[in-house]
Amino acid sequence: MKTLAFAIIFLMFIVTIENSFAAESTFDLNYDLSPQKIHEGDIFILEIYQTAKNQIILEKIDNIRIESLDNSIVEVLDFVETHEFKNRISLKANIEGSTFLYAFVDGNHPLEIPITVYGNNSPSNLSLDIFPATVKNDENSHVVLTLTLTDSNGIVTQADNDFFVKLSASKSGIIPIENSNLIISKDEFSANKIFTNLNSGITTISAKSNDLESFELLTVDESPEQTIKISVFPKTLSSSNTANGHIVAQLFSDGELIRASKDITIFYEIPLESEEVNSSTDINSLNPSGYFHIKEGFSFGHEIFSIQKGITDSHTITVTSQDPLVVVEETFETLDVEVYGDEEVKFESIDVLADGSRQLVGVIYLEDVNGHPVTADRDIVVPFTSSDDLVSIETTTLHQGYSSALVFGQIGSFVPSTTDIKPQILNSELTSLTIHGFSEDSVSLEIHSVSDSIPKGKTHWIISYLESSNGELFKIPENQKIQISDSSVFKIEEDLIQYYPYFTLIPITAVEEGEEELQFSFDNFETSLMMTSVITEPSSLQLDFSEKLYNGISDIFTIQVLDGSGLPISAENDIAVKIFSSQSSVIDFEKNVIIPKETSFTTFELIPLGSGTTEISLVSEGLPVVTEEIIIGDLTPTIQITSADLIDAGESFLVSILAKQNNAPLRNAHVTWDFDGGITTIADEKTGPTGEAVASIIPTSNESVKIHATINNGPIQSAYASKIVKVNATTVQVLPDEIDDSFKKPDLGGIDPVLILVPALIGGMIFYMKKNKK
């Protein structure tokens, strides 16, 4: 009974392990594509196989179904029955695009396979770019329209013929684009044009060439509401023969001093309501009415005026302009005094615009201690000092016979941190200027580029500009030339750089293949742009093969030609490729293969000759050498055989084998049993989910039973194991030629299987239990 108990425990152990493994075992679906990068029009191969715990299952999948999410992109053609354990499916890439394939197997989750089909590198999109897309017409008056050809992946591509592009606008009168055309010449990828004379409004710009079309919105903002501020200096004038005053007009918008986008004519008039006090016929020859201009690009205009001799009164000067429509009045006083000398010099400032140009800063004039106007009896030279180096005030001369003079200065392009100035004269006071504009740290250098890649040998125009903190273009300081870092990949023709008030057009030519970060700078500003030079012709080779390769198992190898962007490209001519293997005993390639013209790849099937590692090198004229390491695995399985070492004559006993492949259980392998000195009552013909098979044996010899087990499973190599079990012996003596290195006793929770002796009755029980399991 003891041996019966041991036998039952052993049998339960085997059944429990099998059921447990079967319950927990999940087989994953995996796939390979040949080639890995698919080109429009390709017929390619999809391979589906099973893995368990990262080990490949060496048997084909039954009842697998493959479906395409979008048959217009990828179409399933047929199954190809040419591999031992992979299901091969032939597919066709109809058009460029992205979709999914789905593999369905009963009992498994569907396998989702993303597929991208690349185009033929010919232009498939026309891109329109407008810079800037929003324009303030009172400032920047230039717009750059750029057309670019790209393929289906958004990569710039050269024109295969001349592209005539018609430009049009949805609303006329905003941009002078009527009857405008651009040509992207053959072998070029872009073209641009600059437009001026813009009018306010919003319009959609369209660019059309055959069936390619692109649209962009252009907004030209209306000029903001403008007003004119009038100042009269000094406030009290002498009505002597030589006395004079200054009218200063300044252009404002939303409280900010701005530049005029065109000449503005300012009319002024001083009505003389008082009667002449002095009956002298010596009347001032200057007419107290007239006009002057705020010129385009300036924020101010000025004029000298005088009043009739001998008048003492309060006067109102009326200033008008047509565009903007403004009527402004300003008052001043006149006194009938004629005081000459070099009395106290007064300085009065006005608002100033920091735009890098020469600015009117204010007015100096003479007064006596009573505040009465004084006429200079000599030339009076007044120098100025400034608290900031960015502010430079010109030395001003108040000429003999005049009572006032205008003061000019250079403010710079940015508002300085301190704005104090002071005339270098006796009793002068410190004056803080009111300066409009942006500080230097609120302005940045930016780069606008419609693409970050350039075909080798071609020129691409980029735009550099300054941007203020409010997101608007900032006028580039005069005489500033942009500096660009040296490059081995790109060349900049400095003589061809085009400078505009608010941006700079820079031509960049790709002279070599590669990627580089270009540095741009001028004055205290700097920025960078990463650019790539690409080759749109065959640039490299790629060798594709399965992740797992095995000795004796055929597999597909693909050699594909790629462009500079790493995308498949159809060769215009046959490409000859030489193949070298460092270990031809492991895998032996053909020495020469051809990638046919108008295709991107060639495939061939090889059977590795042995296990090991080899390096494969691909050599083709004009292309870089490609070297890949290939590892070939060994599919020879291993077998462990387990049984009792001693049995009694006439008593049946169990023997089991454990088959493994790459350290993973080898399931469904065919088992061939052979017994010398015994017969079997039942034996498994295949290994189970755990890789095990069991046989029940009754000895017919009184000395020993020789057990032989052979497994074979299609693509794998055969494996063999044997064991000798002694009969009617009281001790165990294993002869040297009877030792089996593959033997390993199973661990049955402390039960030594050598002690298990199974009577003949157990054979029937085994048969009964196996039948129920099935």
Side-chain angles (χ1 to χ4, degrees), residues 218-385:
L218 172 65
T219 301
V220 182
D221 286 339
E222 293 185 7
S223 298
E225 185 176 347
Q226 298 175 348
T227 186
I228 294 175
K229 177 183 177 181
I230 296 297
S231 301
V232 176
F233 301 99
K235 285 294 185 181
T236 303
L237 284 76
S238 171
S239 58
S240 66
N241 250 354
T242 57
N244 65 281
H246 294 274
I247 304 175
V248 177
Q250 292 181 284
L251 187 63
F252 283 82
S253 176
D254 293 332
E256 292 294 321
L257 196 59
I258 62 171
R259 290 181 293 266
S261 59
K262 58 185 178 181
D263 287 353
I264 299 174
T265 302
I266 307 295
F267 297 92
Y268 70 92
E269 182 178 3
I270 307 172
L272 297 180
E273 298 177 356
S274 301
E275 295 182 1
E276 259 185 64
V277 176
N278 192 333
S279 59
S280 171
T281 58
D282 187 9
I283 304 297
N284 197 314
S285 61
L286 291 178
N287 193 340
S289 64
Y291 66 91
F292 59 97
H293 296 92
I294 300 177
K295 293 185 177 180
E296 179 182 355
F298 287 84
S299 62
F300 63 90
H302 58 85
E303 180 64 292
I304 297 176
F305 73 95
S306 63
I307 201 72
Q308 285 181 308
K309 183 178 179 180
I311 295 178
T312 298
D313 206 344
S314 175
H315 302 274
T316 298
I317 184 169
T318 302
V319 174
T320 60
S321 69
Q322 296 289 336
D323 187 11
L325 183 60
V326 173
V327 177
V328 181
E329 293 183 342
E330 184 67 20
T331 61
F332 64 94
E333 304 289 334
T334 56
L335 290 177
D336 183 14
V337 295
E338 291 191 30
V339 179
Y340 293 88
D342 57 356
E343 304 291 335
E344 185 175 352
V345 177
K346 298 286 187 177
F347 170 70
E348 196 165 342
S349 66
I350 62 172
D351 289 49
V352 182
L353 180 63
D355 66 351
S357 63
R358 184 172 183 259
Q359 293 285 314
L360 176 61
V361 176
V363 178
I364 56 173
Y365 54 92
L366 295 176
E367 282 185 353
D368 62 15
V369 293
N370 297 314
H372 296 163
V374 175
T375 301
D377 60 359
R378 61 180 177 84
D379 287 350
I380 302 174
V381 178
V382 181
F384 285 80
T385 58

Side-chain angles (χ1 to χ4, degrees), residues 590-602:
E590 292 287 336
K591 303 304 179 187
N592 298 281
V593 297
I594 297 293
I595 300 176
K597 66 179 180 180
E598 298 181 356
T599 64
S600 70
F601 69 96
T602 184

Side-chain angles (χ1 to χ4, degrees), residues 20 23 78 130 169 175 222 241 258 337 514-515 550 582 689:
S20 174
D78 199 3
I130 301 176
I175 181 171
E222 293 185 7
N241 250 354
I258 62 171
V337 295
E515 184 181 58
Y550 295 105
S582 65

